[in-house]
Amino acid sequence: MIDNPVIFYSASFLLILFVLGALFARNIIYSLLCSVVVFFLGALFFYVLGSEYNAIIQAAVYGLAVPVLIGISIMFWHNGKEKEKRAEKFTIPYITLMCAGIFVLAFVYLVMMSVAMVPDTFCIKELAQVNAFDNISVFAKGIFVNYVWAFELVSLLLTIVIAGLSLFKKRGA
Amino acid sequence: MDITIYHYLFIGLLLFLCGLIGSVLVKNVIKVLISIEFMLMGVNINFVAFASFCDNITFDGYIFALFYMGIGAVELAVAIYIFYLMYQKKQSDSIDKYSDL
């Protein structure tokens, strides 16, 4: 686990910035690119928290596979003639107000943390100390021993999804 | 100043709130799906933060986050496919047109 305030605050700032960019960018491609950055920053948070395996899965699935899927869907969706041109309802002052509210909240929280108004009894002092090998063994034990029924149920659910989508396409929706 | 669990919980909360605001306010279907993924990622950060700070033995939060990532990716794929099928009839990417989903 990496306890570095510079990494945390810079990554947090970039995360919120790109989240807002993804939500309010006018071009959908820019929105997708911002979301890719957000997903990779999420993987960075997982890595900083000591969960390398989750970070790899996050980067592989959400940083690479999901944006490709969304990009292909954008290509399909905007292939035909767009019949309507929507006016953008959310104006700049509204977005500015929301961003200001979020950053004021963050500032108040940081001030409270700096003057130690938050009770410290909740957080356990002893931090997790695991290396990569222990991390993988913890995952294996969790998936295949402690939560094996949940794992099987998820597998069954994914199989049902695949079969359902195949039937859905066969019937022509 | 040390980075505590509250910092990560607050980042998760911010991410969840931004995703919630985006999923409610934004009209584009793809942006709504991306907002939902932001919400899921905020929850995942909370899971991993709790596992790292408060669970030194079993790390259950890592496992929950792993399940959540798999289910979230499949849910996104299914949602995109359903919206794509409806887009062929609606010819619009505005979420208001999909009220009869």
Side-chain angles (χ1 to χ4, degrees):
Chain A
M1 185 171 176
I2 302 171
D3 189 10
N4 190 341
V6 177
I7 294 177
F8 177 81
Y9 287 118
S10 55
S12 304
F13 176 74
L14 287 176
L15 184 80
I16 300 302
L17 193 67
F18 280 103
V19 163
L20 294 176
L23 292 183
F24 298 112
R26 290 180 182 274
N27 193 335
I28 188 67
I29 298 298
Y30 293 155
S31 177
L32 178 62
L33 292 177
C34 289
S35 69
V36 171
V37 177
V38 170
F39 292 142
F40 272 107
L41 286 172
L44 174 67
F45 273 113
F46 291 154
Y47 180 75
V48 167
L49 279 167
S51 176
E52 296 93 351
Y53 197 73
N54 273 336
I56 290 173
I57 298 294
Q58 170 84 14
V61 174
Y62 281 99
L64 300 175
V66 166
V68 168
L69 180 67
I70 296 177
I72 290 174
S73 67
I74 290 173
M75 287 167 58
F76 278 116
W77 286 22
H78 291 272
N79 195 15
K81 184 181 178 182
E82 194 72 24
K83 289 187 176 178
E84 60 174 347
K85 297 290 183 184
R86 280 186 294 110
E88 195 70 30
K89 291 180 181 177
F90 305 108
T91 55
I92 297 297
Y94 183 80
I95 299 171
T96 309
L97 185 65
M98 195 193 72
C99 298
I102 289 174
F103 282 110
V104 164
L105 265 178
F107 181 73
V108 168
Y109 180 80
L110 290 179
V111 168
M112 286 176 63
M113 287 298 299
S114 63
V115 298
M117 289 173 64
V118 179
D120 202 24
T121 56
F122 181 70
C123 181
I124 294 176
K125 293 295 184 184
E126 185 183 0
L127 297 179
Q129 298 291 335
V130 290
N131 55 29
F133 180 74
D134 288 340
N135 205 345
I136 292 176
S137 66
V138 161
F139 267 102
K141 188 178 179 184
I143 291 175
F144 297 118
V145 177
N146 294 336
Y147 297 101
V148 63
W149 284 106
F151 180 71
E152 295 297 331
L153 279 177
V154 168
S155 306
L156 184 64
L157 181 66
L158 298 185
T159 309
I160 290 172
V161 165
I162 292 173
L165 280 181
S166 303
L167 288 176
F168 200 42
K169 186 176 182 182
K170 200 171 182 180
R171 292 181 181 177
Chain B
M1 188 170 68
D2 292 335
I3 304 298
T4 63
I5 188 174
Y6 299 107
H7 292 77
Y8 290 102
L9 294 185
F10 189 68
I11 283 298
L13 175 68
L14 275 184
L15 203 54
F16 188 87
L17 282 180
C18 289
L20 185 65
I21 291 171
S23 61
V24 171
L25 294 183
V26 174
K27 299 295 180 185
N28 193 313
V29 172
I30 295 177
K31 286 185 181 179
V32 170
L33 293 177
I34 291 174
S35 304
I36 292 172
E37 294 305 315
F38 289 161
M39 293 165 65
L40 296 185
M41 208 176 78
V43 174
N44 275 343
I45 287 176
N46 280 3
F47 273 135
V48 175
F50 273 114
S52 294
F53 280 92
C54 303
D55 180 12
N56 285 341
I57 300 172
T58 57
F59 294 98
D60 290 338
Y62 292 176
I63 312 295
F64 292 162
L66 191 66
F67 281 130
Y68 219 54
M69 274 189 255
I71 295 293
V74 173
E75 164 256 327
L76 179 71
V78 172
I80 283 179
Y81 183 67
I82 292 173
F83 278 120
Y84 171 67
L85 289 179
M86 294 198 72
Y87 177 79
Q88 291 177 335
K89 295 178 181 176
K90 307 285 184 185
Q91 291 296 312
S92 172
D93 57 359
S94 174
I95 196 73
D96 294 332
K97 304 286 184 184
Y98 295 87
S99 57
D100 57 344
L101 183 62

